[in-house]
mmCIF file of all heavy atoms in Angstrom:
data_model
loop_
_atom_site.group_PDB
_atom_site.id
_atom_site.type_symbol
_atom_site.label_atom_id
_atom_site.label_comp_id
_atom_site.label_asym_id
_atom_site.label_seq_id
_atom_site.Cartn_x
_atom_site.Cartn_y
_atom_site.Cartn_z
ATOM 1 N N TRP R 34 174.270 148.666 139.400
ATOM 2 C CA TRP R 34 173.645 147.559 138.664
ATOM 3 C C TRP R 34 172.228 147.990 138.286
ATOM 4 O O TRP R 34 171.488 148.548 139.116
ATOM 5 C CB TRP R 34 173.582 146.288 139.516
ATOM 6 C CG TRP R 34 174.879 145.552 139.644
ATOM 7 C CD1 TRP R 34 175.761 145.602 140.675
ATOM 8 C CD2 TRP R 34 175.420 144.606 138.719
ATOM 9 N NE1 TRP R 34 176.827 144.766 140.442
ATOM 10 C CE2 TRP R 34 176.647 144.141 139.241
ATOM 11 C CE3 TRP R 34 175.011 144.107 137.472
ATOM 12 C CZ2 TRP R 34 177.450 143.198 138.584
ATOM 13 C CZ3 TRP R 34 175.799 143.183 136.825
ATOM 14 C CH2 TRP R 34 177.008 142.731 137.385
ATOM 15 N N TYR R 35 171.852 147.652 137.050
ATOM 16 C CA TYR R 35 170.515 147.896 136.535
ATOM 17 C C TYR R 35 170.030 146.619 135.861
ATOM 18 O O TYR R 35 170.816 145.760 135.479
ATOM 19 C CB TYR R 35 170.495 149.029 135.494
ATOM 20 C CG TYR R 35 170.815 150.404 136.014
ATOM 21 C CD1 TYR R 35 172.134 150.837 136.153
ATOM 22 C CD2 TYR R 35 169.793 151.298 136.338
ATOM 23 C CE1 TYR R 35 172.420 152.119 136.620
ATOM 24 C CE2 TYR R 35 170.078 152.570 136.797
ATOM 25 C CZ TYR R 35 171.388 152.968 136.934
ATOM 26 O OH TYR R 35 171.669 154.241 137.396
ATOM 27 N N ARG R 36 168.718 146.530 135.673
ATOM 28 C CA ARG R 36 168.157 145.373 134.986
ATOM 29 C C ARG R 36 167.040 145.823 134.060
ATOM 30 O O ARG R 36 166.240 146.701 134.404
ATOM 31 C CB ARG R 36 167.596 144.361 136.003
ATOM 32 C CG ARG R 36 166.922 143.173 135.354
ATOM 33 C CD ARG R 36 166.479 142.164 136.373
ATOM 34 N NE ARG R 36 165.320 142.575 137.141
ATOM 35 C CZ ARG R 36 164.656 141.769 137.973
ATOM 36 N NH1 ARG R 36 165.069 140.514 138.129
ATOM 37 N NH2 ARG R 36 163.615 142.214 138.653
ATOM 38 N N ARG R 37 166.988 145.182 132.888
ATOM 39 C CA ARG R 37 165.884 145.428 131.974
ATOM 40 C C ARG R 37 165.193 144.113 131.684
ATOM 41 O O ARG R 37 165.759 143.222 131.045
ATOM 42 C CB ARG R 37 166.354 146.064 130.672
ATOM 43 C CG ARG R 37 165.163 146.493 129.816
ATOM 44 C CD ARG R 37 165.556 147.006 128.469
ATOM 45 N NE ARG R 37 164.396 147.656 127.828
ATOM 46 C CZ ARG R 37 164.301 147.882 126.528
ATOM 47 N NH1 ARG R 37 165.296 147.534 125.730
ATOM 48 N NH2 ARG R 37 163.229 148.465 126.033
ATOM 49 N N VAL R 38 163.970 144.012 132.174
ATOM 50 C CA VAL R 38 163.127 142.893 131.814
ATOM 51 C C VAL R 38 162.536 143.196 130.441
ATOM 52 O O VAL R 38 162.230 144.350 130.134
ATOM 53 C CB VAL R 38 162.023 142.691 132.866
ATOM 54 C CG1 VAL R 38 161.026 141.642 132.445
ATOM 55 C CG2 VAL R 38 162.641 142.333 134.208
ATOM 56 N N MET R 39 162.358 142.166 129.625
ATOM 57 C CA MET R 39 161.976 142.380 128.228
ATOM 58 C C MET R 39 160.771 143.287 128.077
ATOM 59 O O MET R 39 159.726 143.061 128.702
ATOM 60 C CB MET R 39 161.696 141.030 127.551
ATOM 61 C CG MET R 39 161.535 141.139 126.038
ATOM 62 S SD MET R 39 161.573 139.551 125.223
ATOM 63 C CE MET R 39 160.146 138.755 125.918
ATOM 64 N N GLY R 40 160.936 144.305 127.251
ATOM 65 C CA GLY R 40 159.833 145.203 126.940
ATOM 66 C C GLY R 40 159.580 146.285 127.969
ATOM 67 O O GLY R 40 158.710 147.136 127.776
ATOM 68 N N LYS R 41 160.326 146.250 129.056
ATOM 69 C CA LYS R 41 160.093 147.236 130.103
ATOM 70 C C LYS R 41 161.296 148.180 130.228
ATOM 71 O O LYS R 41 162.240 148.099 129.472
ATOM 72 C CB LYS R 41 159.830 146.528 131.428
ATOM 73 C CG LYS R 41 158.697 145.518 131.359
ATOM 74 C CD LYS R 41 157.787 145.659 132.529
ATOM 75 C CE LYS R 41 156.565 144.797 132.354
ATOM 76 N NZ LYS R 41 155.989 144.361 133.630
ATOM 77 N N GLU R 42 161.190 149.096 131.182
ATOM 78 C CA GLU R 42 162.257 150.066 131.342
ATOM 79 C C GLU R 42 163.449 149.458 132.069
ATOM 80 O O GLU R 42 163.343 148.425 132.723
ATOM 81 C CB GLU R 42 161.749 151.310 132.086
ATOM 82 C CG GLU R 42 161.445 151.102 133.556
ATOM 83 C CD GLU R 42 160.028 150.654 133.806
ATOM 84 O OE1 GLU R 42 159.440 149.977 132.934
ATOM 85 O OE2 GLU R 42 159.525 150.966 134.894
ATOM 86 N N ILE R 43 164.574 150.109 131.936
ATOM 87 C CA ILE R 43 165.779 149.733 132.661
ATOM 88 C C ILE R 43 165.607 150.219 134.094
ATOM 89 O O ILE R 43 165.360 151.404 134.325
ATOM 90 C CB ILE R 43 167.019 150.371 132.030
ATOM 91 C CG1 ILE R 43 167.156 149.933 130.561
ATOM 92 C CG2 ILE R 43 168.272 150.011 132.821
ATOM 93 C CD1 ILE R 43 168.177 150.738 129.767
ATOM 94 N N LYS R 44 165.731 149.282 135.041
ATOM 95 C CA LYS R 44 165.478 149.652 136.434
ATOM 96 C C LYS R 44 166.720 149.539 137.287
ATOM 97 O O LYS R 44 167.492 148.570 137.173
ATOM 98 C CB LYS R 44 164.378 148.757 137.023
ATOM 99 C CG LYS R 44 162.978 149.165 136.622
ATOM 100 C CD LYS R 44 161.950 148.503 137.520
ATOM 101 C CE LYS R 44 160.572 149.093 137.267
ATOM 102 N NZ LYS R 44 159.542 148.475 138.080
ATOM 103 N N PHE R 45 166.890 150.486 138.170
ATOM 104 C CA PHE R 45 167.997 150.526 139.108
ATOM 105 C C PHE R 45 167.899 149.377 140.101
ATOM 106 O O PHE R 45 166.812 149.066 140.613
ATOM 107 C CB PHE R 45 167.951 151.869 139.848
ATOM 108 C CG PHE R 45 168.845 151.974 141.048
ATOM 109 C CD1 PHE R 45 170.186 152.296 140.899
ATOM 110 C CD2 PHE R 45 168.349 151.762 142.320
ATOM 111 C CE1 PHE R 45 171.014 152.408 142.009
ATOM 112 C CE2 PHE R 45 169.166 151.866 143.430
ATOM 113 C CZ PHE R 45 170.498 152.197 143.276
ATOM 114 N N LEU R 46 169.026 148.736 140.380
ATOM 115 C CA LEU R 46 169.076 147.699 141.393
ATOM 116 C C LEU R 46 169.829 148.186 142.634
ATOM 117 O O LEU R 46 169.288 148.188 143.733
ATOM 118 C CB LEU R 46 169.741 146.432 140.849
ATOM 119 C CG LEU R 46 169.018 145.723 139.704
ATOM 120 C CD1 LEU R 46 169.822 144.510 139.251
ATOM 121 C CD2 LEU R 46 167.618 145.310 140.115
ATOM 122 N N LEU R 47 171.109 148.571 142.434
ATOM 123 C CA LEU R 47 171.855 149.061 143.579
ATOM 124 C C LEU R 47 173.071 149.868 143.155
ATOM 125 O O LEU R 47 173.458 149.881 142.005
ATOM 126 C CB LEU R 47 172.261 147.933 144.522
ATOM 127 C CG LEU R 47 173.583 147.194 144.282
ATOM 128 C CD1 LEU R 47 174.032 146.511 145.558
ATOM 129 C CD2 LEU R 47 173.465 146.244 143.145
ATOM 130 N N HIS R 48 173.656 150.541 144.140
ATOM 131 C CA HIS R 48 174.768 151.457 143.937
ATOM 132 C C HIS R 48 175.820 151.198 145.001
ATOM 133 O O HIS R 48 175.523 151.217 146.197
ATOM 134 C CB HIS R 48 174.220 152.906 144.024
ATOM 135 C CG HIS R 48 175.250 153.979 144.064
ATOM 136 N ND1 HIS R 48 174.978 155.225 144.585
ATOM 137 C CD2 HIS R 48 176.549 154.028 143.650
ATOM 138 C CE1 HIS R 48 176.048 156.004 144.474
ATOM 139 N NE2 HIS R 48 177.013 155.290 143.924
ATOM 140 N N PHE R 49 177.056 150.947 144.533
ATOM 141 C CA PHE R 49 178.205 150.832 145.418
ATOM 142 C C PHE R 49 179.031 152.119 145.347
ATOM 143 O O PHE R 49 179.200 152.694 144.276
ATOM 144 C CB PHE R 49 179.145 149.701 144.976
ATOM 145 C CG PHE R 49 178.702 148.317 145.316
ATOM 146 C CD1 PHE R 49 178.071 147.519 144.358
ATOM 147 C CD2 PHE R 49 178.927 147.778 146.575
ATOM 148 C CE1 PHE R 49 177.681 146.223 144.659
ATOM 149 C CE2 PHE R 49 178.540 146.479 146.885
ATOM 150 C CZ PHE R 49 177.916 145.706 145.915
ATOM 151 N N VAL R 50 179.565 152.534 146.487
ATOM 152 C CA VAL R 50 180.649 153.494 146.489
ATOM 153 C C VAL R 50 181.829 152.754 147.108
ATOM 154 O O VAL R 50 181.791 152.360 148.280
ATOM 155 C CB VAL R 50 180.326 154.754 147.328
ATOM 156 C CG1 VAL R 50 181.537 155.682 147.350
ATOM 157 C CG2 VAL R 50 179.123 155.471 146.736
ATOM 158 N N LYS R 51 182.822 152.543 146.298
ATOM 159 C CA LYS R 51 183.935 151.645 146.662
ATOM 160 C C LYS R 51 183.333 150.296 147.061
ATOM 161 O O LYS R 51 182.559 149.731 146.308
ATOM 162 C CB LYS R 51 184.787 152.282 147.747
ATOM 163 C CG LYS R 51 185.463 153.575 147.264
ATOM 164 C CD LYS R 51 186.376 154.165 148.318
ATOM 165 C CE LYS R 51 187.010 155.457 147.785
ATOM 166 N NZ LYS R 51 187.860 156.141 148.796
ATOM 167 N N GLU R 52 183.644 149.795 148.229
ATOM 168 C CA GLU R 52 183.123 148.471 148.589
ATOM 169 C C GLU R 52 181.810 148.530 149.349
ATOM 170 O O GLU R 52 181.225 147.496 149.666
ATOM 171 C CB GLU R 52 184.167 147.701 149.404
ATOM 172 C CG GLU R 52 184.441 148.271 150.784
ATOM 173 C CD GLU R 52 185.470 149.408 150.746
ATOM 174 O OE1 GLU R 52 185.873 149.825 149.640
ATOM 175 O OE2 GLU R 52 185.872 149.866 151.838
ATOM 176 N N SER R 53 181.309 149.721 149.626
ATOM 177 C CA SER R 53 180.097 149.869 150.436
ATOM 178 C C SER R 53 178.849 149.983 149.582
ATOM 179 O O SER R 53 178.838 150.686 148.574
ATOM 180 C CB SER R 53 180.216 151.115 151.319
ATOM 181 O OG SER R 53 181.326 151.007 152.179
ATOM 182 N N LYS R 54 177.788 149.337 150.042
ATOM 183 C CA LYS R 54 176.494 149.474 149.369
ATOM 184 C C LYS R 54 175.875 150.802 149.798
ATOM 185 O O LYS R 54 175.473 150.965 150.939
ATOM 186 C CB LYS R 54 175.576 148.308 149.741
ATOM 187 C CG LYS R 54 176.014 146.996 149.162
ATOM 188 C CD LYS R 54 175.119 145.860 149.624
ATOM 189 C CE LYS R 54 175.673 144.524 149.128
ATOM 190 N NZ LYS R 54 174.940 143.363 149.651
ATOM 191 N N GLN R 55 175.813 151.734 148.856
ATOM 192 C CA GLN R 55 175.263 153.056 149.143
ATOM 193 C C GLN R 55 173.737 153.045 149.119
ATOM 194 O O GLN R 55 173.088 153.700 149.906
ATOM 195 C CB GLN R 55 175.796 154.053 148.126
ATOM 196 C CG GLN R 55 175.437 155.509 148.397
ATOM 197 C CD GLN R 55 176.241 156.097 149.522
ATOM 198 O OE1 GLN R 55 177.346 155.638 149.844
ATOM 199 N NE2 GLN R 55 175.707 157.109 150.181
ATOM 200 N N ASP R 56 173.204 152.274 148.179
ATOM 201 C CA ASP R 56 171.752 152.250 147.991
ATOM 202 C C ASP R 56 171.392 150.923 147.345
ATOM 203 O O ASP R 56 171.823 150.653 146.227
ATOM 204 C CB ASP R 56 171.325 153.426 147.111
ATOM 205 C CG ASP R 56 169.826 153.487 146.847
ATOM 206 O OD1 ASP R 56 169.091 152.607 147.326
ATOM 207 O OD2 ASP R 56 169.392 154.432 146.148
ATOM 208 N N GLU R 57 170.653 150.094 148.038
ATOM 209 C CA GLU R 57 170.231 148.815 147.447
ATOM 210 C C GLU R 57 168.715 148.716 147.408
ATOM 211 O O GLU R 57 168.146 147.624 147.447
ATOM 212 C CB GLU R 57 170.848 147.632 148.179
ATOM 213 C CG GLU R 57 170.657 147.620 149.674
ATOM 214 C CD GLU R 57 171.382 146.446 150.339
ATOM 215 O OE1 GLU R 57 171.549 145.384 149.708
ATOM 216 O OE2 GLU R 57 171.778 146.599 151.515
ATOM 217 N N SER R 58 168.075 149.875 147.296
ATOM 218 C CA SER R 58 166.617 149.920 147.327
ATOM 219 C C SER R 58 165.959 149.245 146.136
ATOM 220 O O SER R 58 164.780 148.914 146.193
ATOM 221 C CB SER R 58 166.152 151.380 147.410
ATOM 222 O OG SER R 58 166.595 152.099 146.264
ATOM 223 N N GLY R 59 166.699 149.042 145.050
ATOM 224 C CA GLY R 59 166.101 148.436 143.865
ATOM 225 C C GLY R 59 166.240 146.925 143.782
ATOM 226 O O GLY R 59 165.702 146.297 142.859
ATOM 227 N N MET R 60 166.928 146.326 144.722
ATOM 228 C CA MET R 60 167.101 144.869 144.696
ATOM 229 C C MET R 60 165.738 144.205 144.889
ATOM 230 O O MET R 60 165.022 144.510 145.846
ATOM 231 C CB MET R 60 168.079 144.429 145.782
ATOM 232 C CG MET R 60 169.483 144.936 145.529
ATOM 233 S SD MET R 60 170.278 144.078 144.179
ATOM 234 C CE MET R 60 171.164 142.826 145.111
ATOM 235 N N PRO R 61 165.361 143.285 143.985
ATOM 236 C CA PRO R 61 163.990 142.759 144.004
ATOM 237 C C PRO R 61 163.662 141.884 145.205
ATOM 238 O O PRO R 61 162.542 141.941 145.713
ATOM 239 C CB PRO R 61 163.893 141.967 142.700
ATOM 240 C CG PRO R 61 165.285 141.772 142.221
ATOM 241 C CD PRO R 61 166.131 142.809 142.814
ATOM 242 N N ASN R 62 164.618 141.088 145.670
ATOM 243 C CA ASN R 62 164.350 140.210 146.811
ATOM 244 C C ASN R 62 165.673 139.630 147.306
ATOM 245 O O ASN R 62 166.740 139.928 146.758
ATOM 246 C CB ASN R 62 163.376 139.084 146.401
ATOM 247 C CG ASN R 62 163.836 138.371 145.151
ATOM 248 O OD1 ASN R 62 164.916 137.787 145.124
ATOM 249 N ND2 ASN R 62 163.032 138.432 144.099
ATOM 250 N N ASN R 63 165.606 138.787 148.321
ATOM 251 C CA ASN R 63 166.844 138.287 148.927
ATOM 252 C C ASN R 63 167.479 137.148 148.130
ATOM 253 O O ASN R 63 168.467 136.556 148.580
ATOM 254 C CB ASN R 63 166.589 137.864 150.371
ATOM 255 C CG ASN R 63 165.525 136.784 150.486
ATOM 256 O OD1 ASN R 63 165.103 136.218 149.472
ATOM 257 N ND2 ASN R 63 165.093 136.498 151.697
ATOM 258 N N ARG R 64 166.946 136.832 146.974
ATOM 259 C CA ARG R 64 167.635 135.870 146.104
ATOM 260 C C ARG R 64 168.799 136.543 145.357
ATOM 261 O O ARG R 64 169.605 135.864 144.738
ATOM 262 C CB ARG R 64 166.657 135.263 145.110
ATOM 263 C CG ARG R 64 165.573 134.403 145.766
ATOM 264 C CD ARG R 64 164.689 133.708 144.735
ATOM 265 N NE ARG R 64 163.878 134.631 143.970
ATOM 266 C CZ ARG R 64 164.160 135.024 142.713
ATOM 267 N NH1 ARG R 64 165.235 134.536 142.099
ATOM 268 N NH2 ARG R 64 163.368 135.849 142.084
ATOM 269 N N PHE R 65 168.851 137.841 145.425
ATOM 270 C CA PHE R 65 169.887 138.605 144.748
ATOM 271 C C PHE R 65 170.914 139.086 145.771
ATOM 272 O O PHE R 65 170.556 139.702 146.777
ATOM 273 C CB PHE R 65 169.296 139.818 144.029
ATOM 274 C CG PHE R 65 168.486 139.457 142.819
ATOM 275 C CD1 PHE R 65 167.223 138.915 142.948
ATOM 276 C CD2 PHE R 65 168.997 139.662 141.547
ATOM 277 C CE1 PHE R 65 166.475 138.570 141.818
ATOM 278 C CE2 PHE R 65 168.265 139.323 140.421
ATOM 279 C CZ PHE R 65 167.003 138.781 140.557
ATOM 280 N N LEU R 66 172.187 138.807 145.493
ATOM 281 C CA LEU R 66 173.262 139.246 146.394
ATOM 282 C C LEU R 66 174.355 139.905 145.566
ATOM 283 O O LEU R 66 174.922 139.286 144.670
ATOM 284 C CB LEU R 66 173.827 138.057 147.165
ATOM 285 C CG LEU R 66 175.041 138.373 148.059
ATOM 286 C CD1 LEU R 66 174.647 139.347 149.157
ATOM 287 C CD2 LEU R 66 175.620 137.105 148.638
ATOM 288 N N ALA R 67 174.650 141.146 145.876
ATOM 289 C CA ALA R 67 175.707 141.867 145.192
ATOM 290 C C ALA R 67 176.865 142.113 146.143
ATOM 291 O O ALA R 67 176.666 142.401 147.321
ATOM 292 C CB ALA R 67 175.194 143.205 144.653
ATOM 293 N N GLU R 68 178.068 141.979 145.591
ATOM 294 C CA GLU R 68 179.257 142.210 146.388
ATOM 295 C C GLU R 68 180.277 143.008 145.573
ATOM 296 O O GLU R 68 180.291 142.935 144.347
ATOM 297 C CB GLU R 68 179.883 140.879 146.838
ATOM 298 C CG GLU R 68 179.006 140.099 147.807
ATOM 299 C CD GLU R 68 179.638 138.791 148.239
ATOM 300 O OE1 GLU R 68 180.234 138.111 147.398
ATOM 301 O OE2 GLU R 68 179.514 138.458 149.439
ATOM 302 N N ARG R 69 181.120 143.702 146.296
ATOM 303 C CA ARG R 69 182.213 144.438 145.659
ATOM 304 C C ARG R 69 183.398 144.449 146.622
ATOM 305 O O ARG R 69 183.803 145.478 147.119
ATOM 306 C CB ARG R 69 181.801 145.854 145.278
ATOM 307 C CG ARG R 69 182.783 146.507 144.317
ATOM 308 C CD ARG R 69 182.399 147.947 143.996
ATOM 309 N NE ARG R 69 183.338 148.533 143.055
ATOM 310 C CZ ARG R 69 183.440 149.828 142.815
ATOM 311 N NH1 ARG R 69 182.634 150.676 143.436
ATOM 312 N NH2 ARG R 69 184.311 150.287 141.948
ATOM 313 N N THR R 70 183.945 143.303 146.846
ATOM 314 C CA THR R 70 185.058 143.148 147.773
ATOM 315 C C THR R 70 186.280 143.881 147.236
ATOM 316 O O THR R 70 186.654 143.719 146.070
ATOM 317 C CB THR R 70 185.392 141.660 147.962
ATOM 318 O OG1 THR R 70 184.197 140.975 148.347
ATOM 319 C CG2 THR R 70 186.443 141.485 149.046
ATOM 320 N N GLY R 71 186.893 144.698 148.060
ATOM 321 C CA GLY R 71 188.077 145.423 147.648
ATOM 322 C C GLY R 71 187.776 146.663 146.825
ATOM 323 O O GLY R 71 188.687 147.388 146.433
ATOM 324 N N GLY R 72 186.527 146.881 146.557
ATOM 325 C CA GLY R 72 186.142 148.094 145.837
ATOM 326 C C GLY R 72 186.520 148.130 144.376
ATOM 327 O O GLY R 72 186.547 149.200 143.752
#
Side-chain angles (χ1 to χ4, degrees):
Chain R
W34 283 98
Y35 293 85
R36 177 176 73 171
R37 188 185 192 199
V38 173
M39 190 167 63
K41 305 225 172 152
E42 70 271 30
I43 301 168
K44 281 196 170 179
F45 168 83
L46 296 179
L47 88 159
H48 170 202
F49 282 99
V50 177
K51 296 183 181 177
E52 67 276 7
S53 300
K54 290 177 186 174
Q55 187 75 24
D56 180 359
E57 52 184 331
S58 61
M60 294 287 266
N62 51 60
N63 59 10
R64 294 185 293 102
F65 289 75
L66 175 64
E68 294 180 319
R69 194 183 181 195
T70 306

